[in-house]
Amino acid sequence: MQAHYLEFLTVAFGVFLLMFEAFTDGKKSRIALIAAAGLTVILLLQCTAPLHAEVPSWMSRFYAYDALARFYKLIALVSTILVLLMAFDFRKILARFTCGDRSEESMGEFFCLPVFACAGLMWMASAKDLVSIFVALELVTITFYVLVAYMRRNVGSLEAGVKYLILGGLSTGFLVYGIAWVYGSLGTTDLALIPTALASQDLNLSFLLFGLALMIIALGFKIGAVPMQLWIPDVYQGAPTPITAYLSVASKAAGFIVMWKILNPFLEADAPTQAQVFLILSIMAGATLLYGNLGAIKQSNFKRLLGYSSIAHAGFLTIGIACYDITAVSFYLATYLVMTFSAFFILALVRNQEDSDAIEAFDGLGQRNPLLAAATTITMAAMAGIPLTAGFWGKFFIFKAALTAQPQAVSWCVITIAFICVAAGFYYYLKVVKAMYWNAARNEKALTIPSITKAVLITLTAAIVIIGIFPQPIICLLGQ
């Protein structure tokens, strides 16, 4: 099947799930399994879709499909499937804060909406015009407005929903206003035509840079970077854990591919905006690294710690964008997917059985469930960037890009900050390992792992180790 049909197929599948949900009673959580199965079929179709097939003329103005687009569509599909599987095992907590009892009557839409978000993420990967990027971005964001606040009987979830709505609306305003200024300066919203427009002698550089600055601020919200990072700790803590994982991985990956597509013409060697955009990205990367790591150090709540560390990872990824190296950024995001989903599956499991997101809920886990403790240790080691794990190669390629970029896009000051932040990561990630093996257990009851979570955790942990030893398959997938 041609790749451009798959987004429409995904939307049609989402509509089918909504109809199915409306006319069925009883266990709504089975919709999560049906949705995951359907998206797995679409994933297989995506893998077999011809890479260089011609896009119909009525779509070619806004849509393109290449190896990079395929890579980010795969990230979107895999992330959504994992979120749905995590949500299935998280249904007990969802039922408590949506229905108020053990029934699943009000949970059906929760398992349908990620399918629509997935379609938006896939369109974002192929968008080639500022208009189509904006439409796809809003499809994803509006879906997240609902999902973040879905646990309506939980005050934290409602607070997170309001904060996400207000700041999301603000970022949308920045983005639209920025697009208007860029269009007014260049006369086009087609990203392919922007290099030609930049060569115009009539260009007003001040107006263009003002528009670009507004758009970068808006994109900062999508990727969780300074100065639009303030929503992350509260929203991550308040949102349902599967949606937090979705925001952390799929939304961030889509934000970075959009940032790359938008900024790419302005970072080219002959672009008059190159020096200014390099400077903005470099400052943004340094500030994001400092904010994320300093915030993570003092956290005692694991979910909030993952929120701050997500900001820190955005800092590393912004260095990759500033160095004009999309391969390093994409590789980092692929490893980030594996590590982060593993961490959130573990967190969801502990939350289900200990009713707590705090790090102290992991106390004595080494005795209570050695298999889960081993998976957690490998995951935390990968997130810290320890060698022989996937996380090491992600950081290695970013630093390699920063040190070899010509011209020097990121200052030595930012590179030094990044090295110090890697060391800081060892401290706050390994706090969880210390709690598991050195702290006394609060109770002796063993944690049981549901079969789906166990299968996913074994797969993700194995992937962390295999990629850590042999990263070549991901590099090949990126077409390098």
Side-chain angles (χ1 to χ4, degrees):
M1 181 180 285
Q2 303 287 335
H4 55 272
Y5 291 130
L6 295 177
E7 285 88 350
F8 296 105
L9 182 62
T10 307
V11 172
F13 181 55
V15 173
F16 162 76
L17 288 174
L18 279 177
M19 299 295 290
F20 180 76
E21 190 277 333
F23 292 102
T24 56
D25 297 322
K27 290 190 174 181
K28 302 282 186 177
S29 57
R30 61 185 170 180
I31 295 173
L33 298 180
I34 297 171
L39 289 180
T40 302
V41 174
I42 295 174
L43 175 68
L44 295 174
L45 292 173
Q46 186 72 68
C47 291
T48 56
L51 191 56
H52 300 292
E54 188 175 345
V55 177
S57 58
W58 62 274
M59 289 181 68
S60 60
R61 169 75 171 78
F62 299 102
Y63 186 98
Y65 184 66
D66 53 18
L68 198 62
R70 179 184 63 183
F71 182 81
Y72 281 88
K73 286 171 195 281
L74 294 180
I75 286 184
L77 284 162
V78 171
S79 299
T80 311
I81 292 167
L82 290 173
V83 164
L84 289 165
L85 294 177
M86 193 190 303
F88 180 78
D89 280 347
F90 198 70
R91 61 190 183 280
K92 186 176 75 174
I93 302 292
L94 282 174
R96 192 206 307 174
F97 291 114
T98 53
C99 313
D101 52 30
R102 292 180 179 276
S103 74
E104 299 179 358
E105 285 303 318
S106 304
M107 291 168 49
E109 297 87 351
F110 186 84
F111 305 118
C112 302
L113 289 173
V115 178
F116 293 101
C118 181
L121 294 168
M122 292 167 71
W123 264 314
M124 282 166 71
S126 281
K128 54 172 288 197
D129 188 283
L130 292 175
V131 174
S132 55
I133 286 174
F134 174 76
V135 173
L137 203 59
E138 288 311 297
L139 171 60
V140 175
T141 307
I142 290 170
T143 309
F144 276 122
Y145 289 151
V146 180
L147 290 171
V148 167
Y150 202 85
M151 297 196 304
R152 54 185 173 274
R153 294 175 185 270
N154 181 292
V155 175
S157 183
L158 293 177
E159 180 187 344
V162 171
K163 286 182 178 176
Y164 190 69
L165 176 65
I166 293 173
L167 288 174
L170 188 64
S171 81
T172 298
F174 275 114
L175 184 60
V176 172
Y177 200 40
I179 289 174
W181 277 87
V182 170
Y183 177 71
S185 302
L186 300 175
T188 180
T189 56
D190 189 340
L191 295 174
L193 299 179
I194 285 180
T196 306
L198 283 172
S200 168
Q201 299 297 320
D202 300 328
L203 180 66
N204 188 319
L205 195 58
S206 300
F207 290 170
L208 177 61
L209 288 174
F210 180 66
L212 267 177
L214 292 174
M215 292 172 67
I216 290 173
I217 289 173
L219 292 171
F221 174 83
K222 307 301 179 189
I223 63 174
V226 171
M228 294 291 279
Q229 84 294 350
L230 292 174
W231 61 278
I232 284 189
D234 292 337
V235 172
Y236 273 37
Q237 188 174 6
T241 300
I243 302 308
T244 308
Y246 208 16
L247 280 169
S248 183
V249 179
S251 179
K252 189 182 292 291
F256 271 103
I257 186 61
V258 164
M259 178 180 251
W260 169 256
K261 283 170 179 280
I262 290 176
L263 296 184
N264 188 27
F266 301 100
L267 287 170
E268 290 181 354
D270 55 349
T273 52
Q274 188 197 46
Q276 293 89 341
V277 177
F278 272 148
L279 179 63
I280 292 173
L281 291 176
S282 185
I283 294 171
M284 180 187 280
T288 304
L289 281 167
L290 283 174
Y291 186 94
N293 284 281
L294 291 176
I297 285 173
K298 63 179 182 180
Q299 297 305 315
S300 59
N301 182 291
F302 189 41
K303 203 171 179 183
R304 209 170 172 83
L305 185 150
L306 290 175
Y308 277 101
S309 82
S310 169
I311 298 172
H313 285 292
F316 286 111
L317 288 160
T318 306
I319 289 178
I321 295 286
C323 295
Y324 205 56
D325 191 339
I326 190 60
T327 302
V329 172
S330 302
F331 186 93
Y332 195 107
L333 283 167
T335 59
Y336 183 68
L337 181 154
V338 178
M339 300 182 301
T340 304
F341 268 110
S342 178
F344 276 103
F345 265 95
I346 292 164
L347 175 63
L349 173 66
V350 173
R351 173 77 171 86
N352 262 338
Q353 301 193 29
E354 294 291 317
D355 200 25
S356 171
D357 295 328
I359 292 176
E360 64 180 16
F362 288 76
D363 287 352
L365 192 63
Q367 291 83 45
R368 298 172 62 195
N369 194 318
L371 179 64
L372 186 62
T376 309
T377 303
I378 293 171
T379 302
M380 292 298 102
M383 296 194 85
I386 291 175
L388 298 181
T389 64
F392 168 78
W393 288 111
K395 288 187 172 63
F396 174 83
F397 287 126
I398 291 292
F399 279 112
K400 182 184 174 188
L403 293 170
T404 59
Q406 294 295 334
Q408 184 75 36
V410 179
S411 69
W412 280 102
C413 177
V414 175
I415 295 173
T416 305
I417 291 173
F419 272 112
I420 294 171
C421 289
V422 170
F426 280 79
Y427 170 75
Y428 58 77
Y429 286 125
L430 297 184
K431 271 198 307 188
V432 182
V433 178
K434 173 181 172 292
M436 290 191 299
Y437 293 107
W438 275 269
N439 294 358
R442 294 191 301 172
N443 62 65
E444 299 300 325
K445 184 181 176 184
L447 268 72
T448 55
I449 309 178
S451 54
I452 290 179
T453 297
K454 181 183 285 186
V456 172
L457 274 180
I458 291 172
T459 305
L460 293 177
T461 308
I464 288 172
V465 176
I466 292 170
I467 296 171
I469 298 170
F470 186 58
Q472 199 61 33
I474 294 181
I475 296 172
C476 292
L477 194 61
L478 282 163
Q480 299 299 311

